[in-house]
Amino acid sequence: MSSQQPNLSTTKSFEEAAIAKPDQNPLPRAILRPNNYFLLDGEWKFELDTDDRGLRESWFLGHNYAHTANWPGSVEEHLAQAKGQIQEGPAWHDKVVVWYEREFPRPQRGEKNENTMFQITFGACGYETRVWLNGRLLTSVEGEDVHYGEYTSFSYELNEEHLLPVNWLTVRIADTMDAEIPRGKQESHVYKRGGIWYQTYTGAVRSVWMETVERNRLRSRIGVQSIIEDSLVRFTFTSRIHDPGMYTLRLQVFEQDSDSPEPFATSDYLLKLSEGQKLQNVVMQIPNAQLWSPEHPKLYRLVAQLIDANGYTAEIQGHFGMRKIEARGRHIYLNNQEIYIDGILYQPGTATYEEMRRHMYAMKELGCNLVRVHIAGVDPRIYNLADEIGLLLWVEVPSPHSSTQKSRENHYAELLRMLALIETNPSVIIWSLYNEDWGAQDIATNPETRQYIMDTFHYMKIRYPQFLVVDNDGWQHISYEGKLKSDMLTAHVYTPEVDRWCEVLDQITEGQMEGVAAFPLVVGDQYFYRGQTPVIISEWGGFGFSDYGGPNDLEERADRIRVFKEEMRKRPIAGDVYTQATNIEDERNGLIDPHTGELSVPAGLLNSRK
């Protein structure tokens, strides 16, 4: 999708400006809404608010902006583009406040429809975002005057009475180096840029659009839990209601590639809905359901309709797959069949959506059946692509960089925001809460930190049984009363020496918990490994990155990877994740060109399932 979009023409109706086709998903979201939309991407006015004066001086009521910037983009690149014109100091401070503004004409509709309203959605923006329309502060659908978070979408319903012939949309974005907010591998006060820590990339990072939505509708989020033995699916929907009353929820399931107008499964549910938002779980039978797997990524198309007492229908569309994931004994089972994880670590960084698409196909070509999206939020269409081409996904909450009560509150809020939008995709099988105790550095000594992680693990297992959950990936997993609070025992092992590699693999699989990684594998109560949990070497290799050692020559690197993979397959290990897919800043250990998606090693190199 081009980030340059023309202004809405005053000679065209809102319907004529842009109509979403049912077979396309042009917006950065996982669910389709067959409605009218208009991208607000393109050139915006832009200003750095060095002294944080904008709120006091009411810039949202009128301000002479000195610069322009292209949305989507990032605060960092917009400041760099304005370099030489901004005299207030360096491009980045401990706290950065920026303002954006653009005009757009009042959208026109052919005939008034009292069942619909206008909504503005930000694909992702943050970390702290305020939005005004014509000088009026907007409140998000979630009831926020200030939206926090920078990895997921958020929306504002518009009061049509407040729209003018020409409207102005004003956005204030604030971000800091605060170590208590979810940052992933972006630098902070604790971890400075260099090595494995990267430049911040925040602000207006995904598209923003205006669309028509129904007053009474299903939100663009669907939870899916499969009970494959009984061909049942449990769906979770979120209703958004302005007019309380009786509604019918109608679900229709179609073959994904079929042109047939008739669903092969359908079911109605009568609901009494009150004003506001409500979660609703329903169960549906899918006759003769085929299962989703990397080898056979079978998807079904879902049409969900909310029908009011007058017969007016609000609709969303998505897809789902029937699959079951389980960790049992030393193995992982997909659809009750033992599988081995041939994974790769993926850090998209500042890659565009099209570049990420190329990376996904390239990782599949490498022979991977799993991609570990490393503590980053990505365009949700990437999850859909993984569903389509058959790639398992391991996703992670972008971690804070300090362990405090506030950082845990921020971490939990980010987790819930991400979960709400990543419940649909069958490709997503694993979630990590933390990685290498970043943001939980006191995990071995602070009972409060361990209690938070255990409580969150238990919540995930009850509320989201369709996922495997890792408490703290790499080492320092939590044991409570001798039971691991993780579905897998994972270890990060970096050594370029084959002999040492074999020694560490033997020690881990035999149950040695210390001396095999940078920190003990388990903390808390005593833990005795006897093969009751799958072992995953969730980071290894890194060949080409100076801190990890190993060969830089591509042919020698490929040979070393083959040897290391062969040694893992000789032992009772359930999977591994090679580090990593592409180069990013100082980490020059990728196997895929970050721009073209071309492989620098032979295709199929990481496939040990042959």
Side-chain angles (χ1 to χ4, degrees), residues 27-106:
L27 301 176
R29 59 183 176 192
I31 302 299
L32 283 170
R33 188 178 295 279
N35 62 355
N36 309 308
Y37 71 90
F38 167 64
L39 279 169
L40 293 171
D41 294 352
E43 187 175 87
W44 288 56
K45 299 173 184 177
F46 171 73
E47 184 83 29
L48 171 67
D49 188 359
T50 306
D51 302 318
D52 200 4
R53 298 180 291 115
L55 287 176
R56 298 192 304 272
E57 297 176 0
S58 301
W59 286 10
F60 48 86
L61 295 177
H63 179 69
N64 184 22
Y65 291 86
H67 312 287
T68 60
N70 196 67
W71 191 310
S74 71
V75 169
E76 293 76 16
E77 66 185 27
H78 295 159
L79 291 175
Q81 290 164 3
K83 187 177 181 180
Q85 304 172 45
I86 297 176
Q87 303 299 323
E88 288 84 356
W92 185 263
H93 307 265
D94 286 349
K95 179 177 181 179
V96 169
V97 178
V98 292
W99 292 70
Y100 296 83
E101 188 170 282
R102 68 155 291 165
E103 293 183 350
F104 63 92
R106 181 187 178 99

Coordinates of all heavy atoms in Angstrom, one line a residue, residues 27-106:
L27 N -5.8 -2.8 4.4 CA -5.5 -2.1 5.6 C -4.8 -3.0 6.6 O -5.0 -4.2 6.6 CB -6.9 -1.6 6.3 CG -7.7 -0.7 5.4 CD1 -9.0 -0.4 6.1 CD2 -7.0 0.6 5.1
P28 N -3.9 -2.4 7.5 CA -3.2 -3.2 8.4 C -4.0 -3.7 9.6 O -3.9 -3.3 10.7 CB -2.1 -2.2 8.9 CG -2.7 -0.9 8.8 CD -3.6 -0.9 7.6
R29 N -4.9 -4.7 9.3 CA -5.6 -5.3 10.3 C -5.9 -6.8 9.8 O -5.9 -7.0 8.6 CB -6.9 -4.6 10.6 CG -7.9 -4.4 9.4 CD -9.1 -3.6 9.8 NE -10.0 -3.3 8.7 CZ -11.0 -2.4 8.8 NH1 -11.2 -1.7 9.9 NH2 -11.7 -2.2 7.7
A30 N -6.3 -7.6 10.7 CA -6.4 -9.1 10.4 C -7.8 -9.4 9.8 O -8.0 -10.3 9.1 CB -6.1 -9.9 11.6
I31 N -8.8 -8.5 10.1 CA -10.2 -8.8 9.8 C -10.7 -7.8 8.7 O -10.3 -6.6 8.8 CB -11.1 -8.7 11.0 CG1 -10.6 -9.7 12.1 CG2 -12.6 -9.0 10.7 CD1 -10.7 -11.1 11.7
L32 N -11.5 -8.3 7.8 CA -12.0 -7.4 6.8 C -13.4 -6.9 7.2 O -14.2 -7.7 7.8 CB -12.2 -8.2 5.5 CG -11.0 -8.4 4.6 CD1 -11.3 -9.4 3.5 CD2 -10.4 -7.1 4.0
R33 N -13.7 -5.7 6.9 CA -15.0 -5.1 7.1 C -15.5 -4.6 5.8 O -14.9 -3.6 5.2 CB -14.9 -4.0 8.2 CG -16.3 -3.4 8.6 CD -16.2 -2.4 9.6 NE -15.6 -2.8 10.9 CZ -16.3 -3.5 11.8 NH1 -17.6 -3.7 11.6 NH2 -15.8 -3.9 12.9
P34 N -16.5 -5.2 5.1 CA -16.8 -4.8 3.8 C -17.6 -3.4 3.8 O -18.8 -3.4 3.7 CB -17.7 -5.9 3.3 CG -18.3 -6.5 4.6 CD -17.2 -6.3 5.6
N35 N -16.8 -2.4 4.0 CA -17.4 -1.0 4.1 C -16.6 -0.1 3.2 O -15.7 -0.4 2.4 CB -17.4 -0.6 5.5 CG -16.0 -0.5 6.1 OD1 -15.0 -0.9 5.5 ND2 -15.9 -0.1 7.4
N36 N -16.8 1.2 3.4 CA -16.1 2.2 2.7 C -15.0 2.8 3.6 O -15.3 3.0 4.8 CB -17.1 3.4 2.3 CG -18.3 2.8 1.6 OD1 -18.2 2.0 0.7 ND2 -19.5 3.1 2.1
Y37 N -13.9 3.1 3.1 CA -12.8 3.7 3.9 C -12.0 4.7 3.0 O -12.1 4.7 1.8 CB -11.8 2.6 4.4 CG -11.0 2.0 3.2 CD1 -9.8 2.5 2.9 CD2 -11.5 0.9 2.5 CE1 -9.0 2.0 1.9 CE2 -10.7 0.4 1.4 CZ -9.5 0.9 1.2 OH -8.8 0.4 0.1
F38 N -11.3 5.5 3.7 CA -10.4 6.5 3.0 C -9.1 6.6 3.8 O -9.2 6.9 5.0 CB -11.1 7.8 2.9 CG -10.2 8.9 2.5 CD1 -9.6 8.9 1.2 CD2 -9.9 10.0 3.3 CE1 -8.7 9.9 0.9 CE2 -9.1 11.0 3.0 CZ -8.4 11.0 1.7
L39 N -8.0 6.3 3.2 CA -6.7 6.5 3.9 C -6.4 7.9 4.1 O -6.5 8.8 3.2 CB -5.6 5.8 3.0 CG -5.5 4.3 3.1 CD1 -4.5 3.8 2.1 CD2 -5.0 3.9 4.5
L40 N -5.9 8.2 5.3 CA -5.5 9.6 5.6 C -3.9 9.6 5.6 O -3.3 10.6 6.2 CB -6.0 10.0 7.0 CG -7.5 10.2 7.1 CD1 -8.0 10.4 8.5 CD2 -8.0 11.4 6.2
D41 N -3.3 8.7 5.0 CA -1.9 8.7 4.8 C -1.5 9.8 3.8 O -2.3 10.4 3.1 CB -1.4 7.4 4.2 CG -1.6 6.2 5.2 OD1 -2.0 6.5 6.3 OD2 -1.4 5.1 4.8
G42 N -0.2 10.1 3.9 CA 0.3 11.1 2.9 C 1.0 12.3 3.7 O 1.6 12.1 4.8
E43 N 1.0 13.4 3.2 CA 1.7 14.6 3.7 C 0.8 15.2 4.9 O -0.3 15.6 4.7 CB 2.0 15.6 2.7 CG 2.9 16.7 3.2 CD 3.3 17.7 2.1 OE1 2.5 18.6 1.8 OE2 4.4 17.5 1.5
W44 N 1.5 15.3 6.0 CA 0.9 16.0 7.2 C 1.8 17.2 7.6 O 3.0 17.2 7.3 CB 0.8 15.0 8.4 CG -0.3 14.0 8.3 CD1 -0.4 13.0 7.3 CD2 -1.3 13.7 9.2 NE1 -1.5 12.2 7.6 CE2 -2.0 12.6 8.8 CE3 -1.7 14.3 10.4 CZ2 -3.1 12.0 9.4 CZ3 -2.7 13.7 11.1 CH2 -3.4 12.6 10.6
K45 N 1.2 18.1 8.2 CA 2.0 19.2 8.9 C 2.7 18.6 10.1 O 2.1 17.7 10.7 CB 1.1 20.4 9.3 CG 0.4 21.1 8.1 CD -0.6 22.1 8.6 CE -1.4 22.7 7.5 NZ -2.4 23.7 8.0
F46 N 3.8 19.1 10.4 CA 4.6 18.4 11.5 C 5.4 19.5 12.3 O 5.9 20.5 11.7 CB 5.6 17.5 10.8 CG 6.6 16.9 11.8 CD1 6.3 15.9 12.7 CD2 8.0 17.3 11.7 CE1 7.2 15.4 13.6 CE2 8.9 16.8 12.6 CZ 8.5 15.8 13.5
E47 N 5.5 19.2 13.6 CA 6.3 20.2 14.5 C 6.8 19.4 15.7 O 6.1 18.6 16.3 CB 5.3 21.3 15.0 CG 6.0 22.4 15.8 CD 6.7 23.4 14.9 OE1 6.2 23.7 13.8 OE2 7.7 24.0 15.4
L48 N 8.1 19.7 16.0 CA 8.7 19.2 17.2 C 8.3 20.2 18.3 O 8.5 21.4 18.2 CB 10.2 19.1 17.1 CG 11.0 18.8 18.4 CD1 10.7 17.4 18.9 CD2 12.5 19.0 18.1
D49 N 7.8 19.7 19.4 CA 7.4 20.5 20.6 C 8.4 20.3 21.6 O 8.3 19.6 22.6 CB 6.0 20.0 21.1 CG 5.4 20.9 22.1 OD1 6.1 21.9 22.5 OD2 4.3 20.6 22.6
T50 N 9.6 21.0 21.4 CA 10.7 20.8 22.3 C 10.5 21.1 23.8 O 10.9 20.3 24.6 CB 11.9 21.8 21.8 OG1 12.1 21.6 20.4 CG2 13.2 21.5 22.6
D51 N 9.7 22.1 24.1 CA 9.5 22.5 25.5 C 8.1 22.0 26.0 O 7.7 22.4 27.1 CB 9.6 24.0 25.7 CG 10.9 24.5 25.2 OD1 12.0 23.9 25.6 OD2 11.0 25.5 24.5
D52 N 7.5 21.1 25.2 CA 6.2 20.6 25.6 C 5.2 21.7 25.9 O 4.5 21.8 26.9 CB 6.3 19.6 26.8 CG 5.1 18.7 26.9 OD1 4.2 18.8 26.0 OD2 5.0 18.0 27.9
R53 N 5.1 22.7 24.9 CA 4.3 23.8 25.0 C 2.9 23.7 24.4 O 2.0 24.4 24.7 CB 4.9 25.1 24.4 CG 6.2 25.5 25.0 CD 6.9 26.7 24.3 NE 7.3 26.4 23.0 CZ 6.8 26.9 21.9 NH1 5.7 27.8 22.0 NH2 7.2 26.6 20.7
G54 N 2.8 22.7 23.5 CA 1.6 22.6 22.7 C 0.3 22.5 23.4 O -0.7 23.1 23.0
L55 N 0.3 21.7 24.5 CA -1.0 21.5 25.3 C -1.3 22.9 26.0 O -2.5 23.3 26.0 CB -0.9 20.4 26.3 CG -0.9 19.0 25.8 CD1 -0.6 18.0 26.9 CD2 -2.2 18.7 25.1
R56 N -0.3 23.5 26.6 CA -0.6 24.8 27.3 C -1.1 25.8 26.3 O -1.9 26.7 26.6 CB 0.7 25.2 28.0 CG 1.2 24.3 29.1 CD 2.2 25.0 29.9 NE 3.4 25.5 29.2 CZ 4.4 24.8 28.8 NH1 4.5 23.5 29.2 NH2 5.4 25.3 28.2
E57 N -0.5 25.8 25.1 CA -0.8 26.9 24.1 C -1.9 26.4 23.2 O -2.3 27.2 22.2 CB 0.4 27.2 23.3 CG 1.5 27.8 24.2 CD 2.8 28.0 23.4 OE1 2.8 27.8 22.1 OE2 3.8 28.5 24.0
S58 N -2.5 25.3 23.4 CA -3.7 24.8 22.6 C -3.4 24.7 21.1 O -4.2 25.3 20.3 CB -4.9 25.7 22.9 OG -5.2 25.7 24.3
W59 N -2.3 24.1 20.8 CA -2.0 23.9 19.3 C -3.1 23.3 18.6 O -3.3 23.5 17.4 CB -0.7 23.1 19.2 CG 0.5 23.9 19.6 CD1 0.6 25.1 20.2 CD2 1.9 23.5 19.3 NE1 1.9 25.5 20.4 CE2 2.7 24.5 19.9 CE3 2.5 22.4 18.7 CZ2 4.1 24.4 19.8 CZ3 3.9 22.3 18.7 CH2 4.7 23.3 19.2
F60 N -3.9 22.4 19.2 CA -5.0 21.7 18.6 C -6.1 22.7 18.1 O -7.0 22.3 17.3 CB -5.6 20.7 19.5 CG -5.9 21.2 20.9 CD1 -7.1 21.8 21.2 CD2 -5.0 21.0 21.9 CE1 -7.4 22.2 22.5 CE2 -5.2 21.5 23.2 CZ -6.5 22.1 23.5
L61 N -6.1 23.9 18.6 CA -7.0 24.9 18.1 C -6.5 25.8 17.0 O -7.2 26.5 16.3 CB -7.4 25.9 19.3 CG -8.2 25.2 20.4 CD1 -8.5 26.2 21.5 CD2 -9.5 24.6 19.9
G62 N -5.2 25.7 16.8 CA -4.6 26.4 15.7 C -3.1 26.6 15.9 O -2.7 27.1 17.0
H63 N -2.3 26.3 14.9 CA -0.8 26.5 15.1 C -0.2 26.5 13.7 O -0.7 25.9 12.8 CB -0.3 25.3 15.9 CG 1.2 25.3 16.1 ND1 1.8 26.3 16.9 CD2 2.2 24.6 15.5 CE1 3.1 26.1 16.9 NE2 3.4 25.1 16.0
N64 N 0.8 27.3 13.6 CA 1.6 27.5 12.4 C 2.7 26.5 12.4 O 3.8 26.7 12.9 CB 2.1 28.9 12.3 CG 2.8 29.1 10.9 OD1 2.6 28.4 10.0 ND2 3.7 30.1 10.9
Y65 N 2.5 25.3 11.7 CA 3.5 24.2 11.7 C 4.6 24.6 10.7 O 4.4 25.0 9.6 CB 2.8 22.9 11.3 CG 1.8 22.4 12.4 CD1 0.5 22.8 12.4 CD2 2.3 21.5 13.3 CE1 -0.4 22.4 13.4 CE2 1.4 21.0 14.3 CZ 0.1 21.5 14.3 OH -0.8 21.0 15.3
A66 N 5.8 24.3 11.2 CA 7.0 24.7 10.4 C 7.4 23.7 9.4 O 8.1 24.0 8.5 CB 8.2 25.0 11.4
H67 N 7.0 22.4 9.5 CA 7.5 21.4 8.7 C 6.3 20.5 8.2 O 5.2 20.6 8.6 CB 8.5 20.5 9.4 CG 9.5 21.3 10.2 ND1 10.5 21.9 9.6 CD2 9.6 21.6 11.5 CE1 11.3 22.6 10.5 NE2 10.7 22.3 11.7
T68 N 6.7 19.6 7.3 CA 5.8 18.6 6.8 C 6.4 17.2 7.0 O 7.7 17.1 7.1 CB 5.4 18.7 5.3 OG1 6.5 18.7 4.5 CG2 4.6 20.0 5.1
A69 N 5.6 16.1 7.1 CA 6.1 14.8 7.2 C 5.2 13.8 6.6 O 4.0 14.1 6.5 CB 6.3 14.4 8.7
N70 N 5.7 12.7 6.1 CA 4.9 11.7 5.5 C 4.4 10.7 6.4 O 5.2 10.0 7.1 CB 5.6 11.1 4.3 CG 4.7 10.4 3.4 OD1 3.9 11.0 2.7 ND2 4.8 9.0 3.3
W71 N 3.1 10.5 6.5 CA 2.5 9.4 7.4 C 2.1 8.3 6.5 O 1.4 8.5 5.5 CB 1.3 10.0 8.1 CG 0.7 9.2 9.2 CD1 0.4 7.9 9.2 CD2 0.4 9.7 10.5 NE1 -0.1 7.5 10.4 CE2 -0.1 8.6 11.2 CE3 0.5 10.9 11.2 CZ2 -0.5 8.7 12.6 CZ3 0.1 11.0 12.5 CH2 -0.4 9.9 13.2
P72 N 2.4 7.0 6.8 CA 3.1 6.5 8.0 C 4.6 6.8 7.8 O 5.2 6.9 6.7 CB 2.8 5.0 8.0 CG 2.5 4.7 6.6 CD 1.9 5.9 6.0
G73 N 5.3 6.8 9.0 CA 6.7 7.1 9.1 C 7.1 6.9 10.6 O 6.4 6.2 11.3
S74 N 8.1 7.5 11.0 CA 8.5 7.5 12.4 C 9.0 8.9 12.8 O 9.4 9.7 12.0 CB 9.6 6.5 12.6 OG 10.8 7.0 12.0
V75 N 8.8 9.1 14.1 CA 9.3 10.3 14.7 C 10.8 10.5 14.3 O 11.2 11.6 14.0 CB 9.2 10.3 16.2 CG1 9.9 11.5 16.8 CG2 7.7 10.4 16.6
E76 N 11.6 9.4 14.4 CA 13.0 9.6 14.1 C 13.3 10.1 12.7 O 14.1 11.0 12.5 CB 13.7 8.2 14.4 CG 13.6 7.7 15.8 CD 12.3 7.2 16.3 OE1 11.4 6.9 15.4 OE2 12.1 7.1 17.5
E77 N 12.6 9.5 11.7 CA 12.9 9.9 10.4 C 12.3 11.3 10.1 O 12.9 12.1 9.3 CB 12.4 8.9 9.4 CG 10.9 8.7 9.3 CD 10.5 7.6 8.3 OE1 11.3 6.7 8.1 OE2 9.4 7.6 7.8
H78 N 11.2 11.6 10.7 CA 10.7 13.0 10.5 C 11.6 14.0 11.1 O 11.7 15.1 10.6 CB 9.3 13.0 11.1 CG 8.3 12.1 10.4 ND1 7.1 11.7 11.0 CD2 8.3 11.6 9.2 CE1 6.5 10.9 10.1 NE2 7.2 10.8 9.0
L79 N 12.1 13.7 12.3 CA 13.1 14.7 12.9 C 14.3 14.8 12.0 O 14.9 15.9 11.8 CB 13.5 14.2 14.3 CG 12.4 14.4 15.4 CD1 12.8 13.8 16.7 CD2 11.9 15.8 15.5
A80 N 14.8 13.7 11.5 CA 16.0 13.7 10.6 C 15.7 14.5 9.4 O 16.6 15.2 8.9 CB 16.4 12.3 10.2
Q81 N 14.5 14.4 8.8 CA 14.2 15.2 7.6 C 14.2 16.7 7.9 O 14.4 17.5 7.0 CB 12.8 14.7 7.0 CG 12.9 13.3 6.4 CD 11.5 12.7 6.3 OE1 10.5 13.3 6.5 NE2 11.5 11.4 5.8
A82 N 13.8 17.0 9.1 CA 13.7 18.4 9.5 C 15.1 19.0 10.0 O 15.2 20.1 10.3 CB 12.6 18.6 10.5
K83 N 16.1 18.1 10.0 CA 17.4 18.5 10.6 C 17.9 19.7 9.8 O 17.9 19.7 8.5 CB 18.4 17.3 10.5 CG 19.7 17.6 11.2 CD 20.6 16.4 11.1 CE 21.9 16.6 11.8 NZ 22.8 15.5 11.8
G84 N 18.5 20.6 10.5 CA 18.9 21.9 9.8 C 17.9 23.0 9.9 O 18.3 24.1 9.8
Q85 N 16.7 22.6 10.1 CA 15.6 23.6 10.2 C 15.2 23.7 11.7 O 14.7 24.7 12.1 CB 14.4 23.2 9.4 CG 14.7 23.0 7.9 CD 13.5 22.4 7.2 OE1 12.4 22.8 7.3 NE2 13.8 21.4 6.4
I86 N 15.4 22.6 12.5 CA 15.1 22.6 13.9 C 16.4 23.0 14.6 O 17.4 22.3 14.5 CB 14.6 21.3 14.4 CG1 13.3 20.9 13.6 CG2 14.4 21.2 15.9 CD1 12.7 19.6 14.0
Q87 N 16.3 24.1 15.4 CA 17.5 24.6 16.0 C 17.6 24.3 17.5 O 18.5 24.7 18.2 CB 17.5 26.1 15.9 CG 17.5 26.6 14.4 CD 18.7 26.1 13.6 OE1 19.8 26.0 14.1 NE2 18.5 25.7 12.4
E88 N 16.6 23.5 18.0 CA 16.5 23.4 19.5 C 17.5 22.4 20.1 O 17.6 22.2 21.3 CB 15.1 22.9 19.9 CG 14.0 24.0 19.7 CD 13.5 24.1 18.3 OE1 14.0 23.4 17.4 OE2 12.6 24.9 18.1
G89 N 18.3 21.6 19.2 CA 19.2 20.7 19.8 C 19.2 19.4 19.0 O 18.9 19.4 17.9
P90 N 19.6 18.3 19.7 CA 19.8 17.0 19.0 C 18.4 16.5 18.6 O 17.4 16.9 19.0 CB 20.4 16.1 20.1 CG 20.0 16.8 21.4 CD 20.0 18.2 21.1
A91 N 18.5 15.5 17.7 CA 17.2 15.0 17.1 C 16.4 14.2 18.1 O 15.2 14.0 17.9 CB 17.6 14.1 15.9
W92 N 17.0 13.7 19.2 CA 16.3 12.9 20.2 C 16.7 13.3 21.6 O 17.8 13.6 21.9 CB 16.6 11.4 20.0 CG 15.8 10.5 20.9 CD1 16.2 10.1 22.1 CD2 14.5 10.1 20.7 NE1 15.2 9.3 22.6 CE2 14.1 9.3 21.8 CE3 13.6 10.3 19.6 CZ2 12.9 8.7 21.9 CZ3 12.3 9.7 19.7 CH2 12.0 8.9 20.9
H93 N 15.7 13.5 22.4 CA 15.8 13.8 23.8 C 15.3 12.7 24.7 O 14.7 11.7 24.2 CB 15.1 15.1 24.1 CG 15.4 16.3 23.2 ND1 16.4 17.2 23.5 CD2 14.9 16.6 22.0 CE1 16.5 18.1 22.5 NE2 15.6 17.7 21.5
D94 N 15.5 12.8 26.0 CA 14.9 11.8 26.9 C 13.4 11.7 26.7 O 12.8 10.7 26.8 CB 15.1 12.2 28.3 CG 16.6 11.9 28.7 OD1 17.3 11.3 27.9 OD2 17.0 12.4 29.8
K95 N 12.7 12.9 26.3 CA 11.3 12.9 26.0 C 11.1 13.6 24.7 O 11.7 14.7 24.6 CB 10.5 13.5 27.1 CG 9.0 13.5 26.8 CD 8.2 14.1 27.9 CE 6.7 14.1 27.6 NZ 5.8 14.6 28.7
V96 N 10.4 13.1 23.8 CA 10.1 13.7 22.5 C 8.6 13.9 22.4 O 7.9 12.9 22.6 CB 10.7 12.9 21.3 CG1 10.1 13.5 20.0 CG2 12.2 13.0 21.3
V97 N 8.2 15.1 22.1 CA 6.8 15.4 21.8 C 6.7 16.0 20.4 O 7.4 17.0 20.1 CB 6.2 16.4 22.9 CG1 4.7 16.7 22.5 CG2 6.3 15.8 24.3
V98 N 5.9 15.4 19.6 CA 5.7 15.9 18.2 C 4.2 16.0 17.9 O 3.4 15.3 18.5 CB 6.4 15.0 17.2 CG1 7.9 15.1 17.3 CG2 5.9 13.6 17.3
W99 N 3.9 16.9 17.0 CA 2.5 17.2 16.6 C 2.4 17.0 15.1 O 3.3 17.3 14.3 CB 2.0 18.6 17.0 CG 1.9 18.8 18.5 CD1 2.9 18.9 19.4 CD2 0.7 19.0 19.2 NE1 2.4 19.2 20.6 CE2 1.1 19.3 20.5 CE3 -0.7 19.1 18.8 CZ2 0.1 19.5 21.5 CZ3 -1.6 19.3 19.8 CH2 -1.2 19.5 21.2
Y100 N 1.2 16.4 14.7 CA 0.9 16.2 13.3 C -0.5 16.8 13.1 O -1.3 16.7 13.9 CB 0.9 14.8 12.9 CG 2.2 14.0 13.0 CD1 2.7 13.5 14.2 CD2 3.1 13.9 11.9 CE1 3.9 12.9 14.4 CE2 4.3 13.2 12.0 CZ 4.7 12.7 13.2 OH 5.9 12.0 13.3
E101 N -0.7 17.3 11.9 CA -2.0 17.8 11.5 C -2.3 17.7 10.0 O -1.3 17.9 9.2 CB -2.2 19.3 12.0 CG -3.7 19.8 11.9 CD -3.8 21.1 12.6 OE1 -4.0 21.1 13.9 OE2 -3.9 22.1 11.9
R102 N -3.5 17.4 9.6 CA -3.9 17.5 8.2 C -5.3 17.8 8.1 O -6.1 17.6 9.0 CB -3.6 16.1 7.5 CG -4.4 15.0 8.0 CD -4.5 13.9 6.9 NE -5.3 14.4 5.8 CZ -5.3 13.8 4.6 NH1 -4.6 12.7 4.4 NH2 -6.1 14.2 3.6
E103 N -5.7 18.3 6.9 CA -7.1 18.6 6.6 C -7.7 17.6 5.7 O -7.0 16.9 5.0 CB -7.2 20.0 5.9 CG -6.8 21.2 6.8 CD -7.0 22.5 6.1 OE1 -7.2 22.5 4.9 OE2 -6.9 23.5 6.8
F104 N -9.0 17.4 5.8 CA -9.7 16.5 4.9 C -11.1 17.1 4.8 O -11.7 17.6 5.7 CB -9.7 15.1 5.4 CG -10.4 14.8 6.7 CD1 -11.7 14.5 6.7 CD2 -9.7 15.0 7.9 CE1 -12.4 14.2 7.9 CE2 -10.3 14.7 9.1 CZ -11.7 14.4 9.1
P105 N -11.7 17.0 3.6 CA -13.1 17.4 3.4 C -14.1 16.5 4.1 O -13.8 15.3 4.3 CB -13.3 17.4 1.9 CG -12.3 16.4 1.4 CD -11.2 16.4 2.3
R106 N -15.2 17.1 4.4 CA -16.3 16.3 5.0 C -16.7 15.1 4.0 O -17.0 15.4 2.9 CB -17.5 17.1 5.3 CG -18.7 16.4 5.9 CD -19.9 17.2 6.0 NE -21.0 16.5 6.6 CZ -21.4 16.5 7.9 NH1 -20.8 17.4 8.7 NH2 -22.4 15.8 8.3

